[in-house]
Amino acid sequence: MAYTDLDNEVVKVDAVTFDYSNAASPVIDQLTLALKKSEITFLIGPSGSGKTTLLKLLAGLLEPGAGDITIQGVSLKRANSSERRATLRKVAMTFQRSGLFDSKTVLENLIFPLQELNRLSFEKALAEAEKVLDLVELKGHESKLPHEVSGGMQKRVGIGRALALSPEVVFYDDPTAGLDPITSKNIIELIIQIQKENKTTNLISTSDLDLAVNISRKIASKIAFLFEGKILQIGTADEILGSINPVIHQFTRGLLEGPLTKGAR
Amino acid sequence: MNYFLKNRKFRWRREETLEQMYVLGVQSIPIIVVSLAFIGLMMILELAFHMRLVLKHDSLVPAFSAVLMVRELGPVITCLLLTSRIGAGIAAEIGSMKVTEQLDALKLLSIDPFDYLVIPRWIGSVFAALSLTMISIAVALGGGALLAAQKLGTSSGEYFNTVFFFVKFPDVLRCLIKAFVFGTIIPFIASYQGFSCELGSAAVGEAATQAVVRASLSIIIADFLLTYLFYAI
């Protein structure tokens, strides 16, 4: 099935189920979701709800046990290996722990994918990497190793590396995890600025409800609430905040009593 | 295991391979050469003592020590020492790459971690095992010649004449086959431990320990099987 503009859903998740071999219940359970072209969607939910697993499934790093994922009209399940590779080359992901190659400098982390995937010469890859360095405001830090820069800078390098290959779909796995509120806001602002320039389709997972709500209101994006491997609700920030679902209600209000903490106390 | 066996297109990675040859081979020279030199000296002393005790003469000490060194101790001790030096390092490096999501980042870039991480380490390890075995045997024999001159009164000429009379080309070939097999065992077991490492720093330590234990055991078992095979054919 070819992708057309009539079908504005760039990423479709159709009844996907996934479980780790040692897990008692599926981490992702019959999950259905669609991401529209050039939109930012926030994915929120409590820790352990399956956010990272879902992003890894979407990026092709994990294989669903059941169901299918379609990216730009190409079913990852039915595509042959070259179609699948070509489709996944349009997808990028940033990792919660940054996933930077710790033996390579900041600049080498950006050059590496350009040389490996785009087969660019060193000079061309360097020129491209320097543009990305400018974009993520890391000029002056290019010769440092990942552990020599701050957590916020590591996230920026991760974002830069993801964007170096000009992806059409980007998944951000908790890009503000462990960062102070100002750095978190800067990172999200950077993601929004990049999205506006490149018109990418983005899914941003976060546990930071306030940040997701504030940004979602500002750019009129949607929030999807994930719990026990299922999307409980998708809607605007106000719809999520006003949800009568007891799980979402407890999460958004930060209540100690409720289904999320049942049996935990 | 499917991960290791599935169809793959290998890409020659010159820089990574040369780096691994340096890290695994060249940087292992001091510990292995010094260790084998002292093992060679100790062997001369032990053989001389027991030969005098039982046979009442020690003229065959150079022959026995050289044959034992080329057939067994050279490749086995070298590769056991290599296991402790590089096996833990490979498992810990790959394990920590898994924990810090670097392996996922490689896969996302359509880079096969096996191709990128294991093949250069395999070539580096085989290079290290073959070259260090030869170097350490040469050093052990050289040290043995000096000690034999001191303790047994055997001149260097006599020593090496005896050595070359008893050590034949098939012995050297078998020694190289063993070194190749052991040099292959180390990175594959260590990489497997790294790839199958659980998340967490304790798990990385456990993967490193298991890599050394399993690779050492595998080398000892493989040595027996190869020796059995060589005598059978």
Side-chain angles (χ1 to χ4, degrees):
Chain A
M1 186 176 74
Y3 172 71
T4 67
D5 261 339
L6 289 173
D7 185 355
N8 203 26
E9 291 168 347
V10 176
V11 178
K12 275 190 199 170
V13 184
D14 185 18
V16 162
T17 299
F18 177 84
D19 55 358
Y20 293 103
S21 53
N22 53 354
S25 57
V27 181
I28 299 296
D29 189 8
Q30 292 278 314
L31 187 144
T32 297
L33 177 70
L35 303 179
K36 290 192 175 167
K37 195 177 180 186
S38 305
E39 273 193 2
I40 292 179
T41 306
F42 283 93
L43 182 68
I44 62 167
S47 299
S49 56
K51 298 189 291 294
T52 298
T53 304
L54 175 59
L55 295 194
K56 286 187 175 176
L57 283 162
L58 294 174
L61 296 173
L62 296 172
E63 292 296 323
D68 194 9
I69 293 166
T70 308
I71 295 174
Q72 294 193 331
V74 177
S75 155
L76 294 186
K77 196 174 173 181
R78 289 193 290 272
N80 62 35
S81 62
S82 61
E83 277 176 334
R84 185 185 157 92
R85 208 176 307 124
T87 304
L88 290 175
R89 279 189 67 164
K90 297 171 190 165
V91 172
M93 180 176 171
T94 68
F95 297 92
Q96 210 171 56
R97 297 181 190 90
S98 84
L100 298 176
F101 303 116
D102 50 17
S103 58
K104 295 184 189 294
T105 64
V106 167
L107 187 63
E108 285 167 349
N109 263 284
L110 300 178
I111 290 175
F112 183 63
L114 291 164
Q115 284 192 299
E116 283 289 326
L117 256 79
N118 291 0
R119 297 278 192 268
L120 294 185
S121 66
F122 178 78
E123 289 73 23
K124 282 186 180 170
L126 180 64
E128 289 290 316
E130 281 178 343
K131 281 185 207 162
V132 177
L133 265 180
D134 261 344
L135 184 70
V136 294
E137 295 164 11
L138 280 169
K139 278 274 180 189
H141 300 282
E142 48 269 67
S143 56
K144 291 179 180 168
L145 289 168
H147 70 266
E148 292 170 336
V149 298
S150 68
M153 285 179 186
Q154 287 181 14
K155 298 281 183 186
R156 283 172 181 274
V157 182
I159 293 169
R161 187 177 66 185
L163 297 170
L165 296 164
S166 310
E168 292 170 34
V169 183
V170 188
F171 304 120
Y172 296 92
D173 189 8
D174 221 341
T176 59
L179 301 179
D180 63 79
I182 297 168
T183 312
S184 296
K185 208 165 170 228
N186 280 336
I187 293 283
I188 295 292
E189 295 287 352
L190 174 68
I191 292 171
I192 293 167
Q193 178 207 327
I194 290 165
Q195 191 274 336
K196 277 183 187 160
E197 285 171 18
N198 300 350
K199 301 282 176 226
T200 51
T201 303
N202 301 321
L203 181 63
I204 306 171
S205 87
T206 180
S207 305
D208 190 339
L209 177 72
D210 291 339
L211 191 75
V213 166
N214 289 337
I215 301 293
S216 175
R217 276 181 178 148
K218 195 171 154 187
I219 60 169
S221 65
K222 294 220 165 137
I223 298 176
F225 192 97
L226 183 70
F227 178 63
E228 291 185 341
K230 287 190 169 86
I231 299 286
L232 295 189
Q233 190 174 341
I234 303 179
T236 62
D238 293 317
E239 283 167 350
I240 293 292
L241 288 177
S243 174
I244 55 164
N245 183 300
V247 173
I248 302 176
H249 182 77
Q250 186 191 356
F251 186 82
T252 53
R253 298 289 186 282
L255 303 174
L256 293 177
E257 298 290 337
L260 282 172
T261 44
K262 200 174 165 187
R265 279 150 57 88
Chain B
M1 193 53 76
N2 284 342
Y3 181 73
F4 283 89
L5 299 177
K6 72 178 181 186
N7 285 339
R8 9 183 120 257
K9 277 182 189 169
F10 293 117
R11 188 177 146 198
W12 168 242
R13 295 179 177 277
R14 194 173 63 95
E15 269 182 42
E16 285 82 6
T17 305
L18 289 175
E19 186 189 338
Q20 291 306 319
M21 287 167 84
Y22 177 75
V23 171
L24 307 184
V26 178
Q27 291 189 343
S28 301
I29 289 175
I31 181 180
I32 289 173
V33 167
V34 170
S35 304
L36 264 291
F38 279 96
I39 286 171
L41 296 178
M42 177 274 297
M43 206 164 54
I44 296 280
L45 293 177
E46 281 292 336
L47 284 175
F49 173 79
H50 288 286
M51 281 193 171
R52 278 190 203 130
L53 195 72
V54 179
L55 303 173
K56 311 294 179 202
H57 69 93
D58 51 24
S59 60
L60 286 177
V61 168
F64 282 138
S65 64
V67 168
L68 193 58
M69 186 56 78
V70 172
R71 285 189 180 180
E72 290 299 328
L73 297 184
V76 174
I77 303 283
T78 299
C79 292
L80 286 176
L81 287 168
L82 204 56
T83 303
S84 61
R85 207 192 90 74
I86 68 172
I90 292 173
E93 186 183 4
I94 295 177
S96 66
M97 285 182 81
K98 184 179 179 184
V99 171
T100 55
E101 297 180 309
Q102 292 177 60
L103 294 185
D104 282 335
L106 281 176
K107 286 182 213 161
L108 199 70
L109 297 172
S110 304
I111 298 167
D112 184 348
F114 184 87
D115 176 34
Y116 183 71
L117 296 169
V118 182
I119 299 298
R121 280 159 182 75
W122 173 52
I123 296 171
S125 175
V126 167
F127 163 77
L130 290 170
S131 56
L132 289 173
T133 297
M134 288 294 102
I135 293 170
S136 54
I137 288 174
V139 170
L141 293 181
L146 289 175
L147 190 68
Q150 282 273 318
K151 296 286 285 181
L152 314 177
T154 312
S155 71
S156 296
E158 277 178 89
Y159 180 90
F160 282 110
N161 273 341
T162 318
V163 166
F164 291 126
F165 183 79
F166 278 89
V167 177
K168 303 290 182 197
F169 177 71
D171 295 319
V172 178
L173 188 65
R174 286 166 184 177
C175 167
L176 291 175
I177 291 171
K178 282 186 176 181
F180 177 84
V181 172
F182 303 158
T184 298
I185 286 173
I186 301 167
F188 277 88
I189 287 185
S191 303
Y192 178 77
Q193 292 299 135
F195 282 121
S196 53
C197 161
E198 299 288 323
L199 300 184
S201 51
V204 174
E206 179 62 19
T209 306
Q210 285 300 323
V212 174
V213 170
R214 290 182 180 180
S216 301
L217 266 176
S218 302
I219 286 173
I220 290 165
I221 293 167
D223 181 49
F224 164 74
L225 294 174
L226 286 171
T227 306
Y228 192 88
L229 186 73
F230 292 154
Y231 280 118
I233 55 176

